[in-house]
Amino acid sequence: MKLLYLLEQLRTPQLDTVMYTVTQLGGVLVFVVLTLAVFWCVDRRCGLFLMAAGLAGTLIGQALKLLLHIPRPWVRDPGFSIVARARAGAGGFSCPSGHSINAAVTYGGLACWTRRRWLRFVFVLLMLLVAFSRMYLGVHTPVDVGAGLLVGGAAVLACKPLFSRCGDQPATQRAALCALLALTAAGVLYVTLWPWDAAVQGENLTGGVKNVWLLFGAAAGLLLASLGRGGIRFSTEAPLWGQALKLVLGLLLVGAVQELLRAVAGAAGMADGPAHALRALGAVWFAAGIWPRTFPRFSRK
């Protein structure tokens, strides 16, 4: 807490705004948009690698949050204040930092993938800035942030060899995705069957269970997309207008698929966990297996 109190004394309204903006770069929305942009428009293998690492890292992070159930800094020390606007995005337990995991996967993963030194520097800098912003805003301690970077980094190092080599080998690709699905299935069993004590019950457990079911559904969607003859395989090449159109239209359609499946699950009276999984499965299957089939239309000059 000493470092957090020091950073608290350095806060200014202008710096609060800057750090709040920086911290958004480690959010789920930025991860999804950036990963799909890479997947659809730049490098299919890199995008698939980022998805897998994100799923693995987030799953481990959620499991650790529930297992350790460490409260947020302002809960542990009521005398400590945080930047008010950051509170809305800081629900659940504190360790490890989810934003730091996302930053390590997104920017650390891109740094590991690219061969350009200046890009590596930029990506590593972004990763560290996101982690620092979480401490500046007062929503995480150095231990939380360090644990998040370690979890995200471990997911990157574990997934990169698999997805950089499996590229155009459907059998290897499916084997890697089967392992990912098994990991998320184990996560579902863990959050469902573990005898959680009173400190974990309530909103914290509900949020963790929701996230793990979403991850399971997303992993199932990737595996389903890979079951075609060539696995997840398509060309990302297109003129600038084509890249812009397939990204914007793809994001809108992925959101529409999610909302449609939310309505279907509600009408069918599905339990919350399976409903979350269905929504994620449909969105990811569409993003990885259906939408790329339209890409030849966007590659015309």
Side-chain angles (χ1 to χ4, degrees):
M1 292 296 297
K2 291 182 179 179
L3 176 59
L4 296 192
Y5 271 113
L6 175 61
L7 293 175
E8 183 184 26
Q9 296 174 5
L10 299 177
R11 292 176 191 160
T12 65
Q14 295 78 15
L15 195 52
D16 289 356
T17 300
V18 171
M19 287 293 110
Y20 181 75
T21 302
V22 168
T23 213
Q24 303 310 309
L25 298 177
V28 173
L29 179 60
V30 171
F31 169 76
V32 170
V33 172
L34 186 56
T35 298
L36 288 179
V38 171
F39 182 58
W40 288 337
C41 303
V42 182
D43 188 323
R44 165 181 49 82
R45 290 186 303 157
C46 180
L48 188 57
F49 150 62
L50 291 177
M51 289 184 201
L55 289 175
T58 304
L59 178 71
I60 295 170
Q62 287 294 324
L64 288 174
K65 278 179 181 285
L66 294 175
L67 181 65
L68 300 174
H69 52 268
I70 297 174
R72 294 279 179 168
W74 68 88
V75 177
R76 294 163 58 185
D77 185 349
F80 175 70
S81 65
I82 69 170
V83 176
R85 71 179 77 174
R87 186 182 292 271
F93 293 118
S94 193
C95 185
S97 162
H99 280 70
S100 297
I101 292 174
N102 287 340
V105 168
T106 307
Y107 307 113
L110 289 172
C112 287
W113 196 273
T114 185
R115 296 180 180 179
R116 299 181 182 181
R117 290 185 178 181
W118 70 272
L119 274 178
R120 287 179 180 174
F121 174 79
V122 170
F123 289 139
V124 170
L125 180 61
L126 286 173
M127 178 183 70
L128 296 177
L129 281 174
V130 170
F132 176 78
S133 73
R134 303 307 287 166
M135 295 185 291
Y136 174 89
L137 295 172
V139 294
H140 282 295
T141 67
V143 172
D144 301 338
V145 166
L149 292 177
L150 285 174
V151 169
V156 165
L157 294 177
C159 292
K160 184 177 182 294
L162 293 174
F163 290 91
S164 61
R165 294 172 185 169
C166 75
D168 295 322
Q169 302 173 28
T172 308
Q173 187 182 90
R174 291 181 194 120
L177 293 176
C178 280
L180 184 63
L181 181 62
L183 180 66
T184 57
V188 169
L189 292 175
Y190 167 66
V191 298
T192 304
L193 302 178
W194 191 265
W196 301 107
D197 58 34
V200 183
Q201 297 292 334
E203 184 178 348
N204 289 315
L205 181 58
T206 300
V209 170
K210 171 188 174 181
N211 290 333
V212 171
W213 274 102
L214 284 170
L215 295 170
F216 172 70
L222 281 177
L223 180 59
L224 186 60
S226 75
L227 295 181
R229 181 178 299 178
I232 299 176
R233 183 178 181 180
F234 54 86
S235 173
T236 60
E237 293 183 4
L240 184 59
W241 69 265
Q243 300 287 29
L245 270 179
K246 70 183 179 183
L247 177 59
V248 173
L249 290 176
L251 290 172
L252 291 174
L253 288 171
V254 166
V257 169
Q258 281 190 306
E259 292 307 312
L260 175 62
L261 291 175
R262 189 197 303 274
V264 169
M270 292 181 65
D272 286 345
H276 295 315
L278 175 66
R279 181 160 52 94
L281 185 155
V284 172
W285 180 39
F286 178 84
I290 304 300
W291 184 238
R293 295 180 184 178
T294 69
F295 288 0
R297 297 178 180 271
F298 298 100
S299 64
R300 298 171 184 171
K301 298 183 179 179

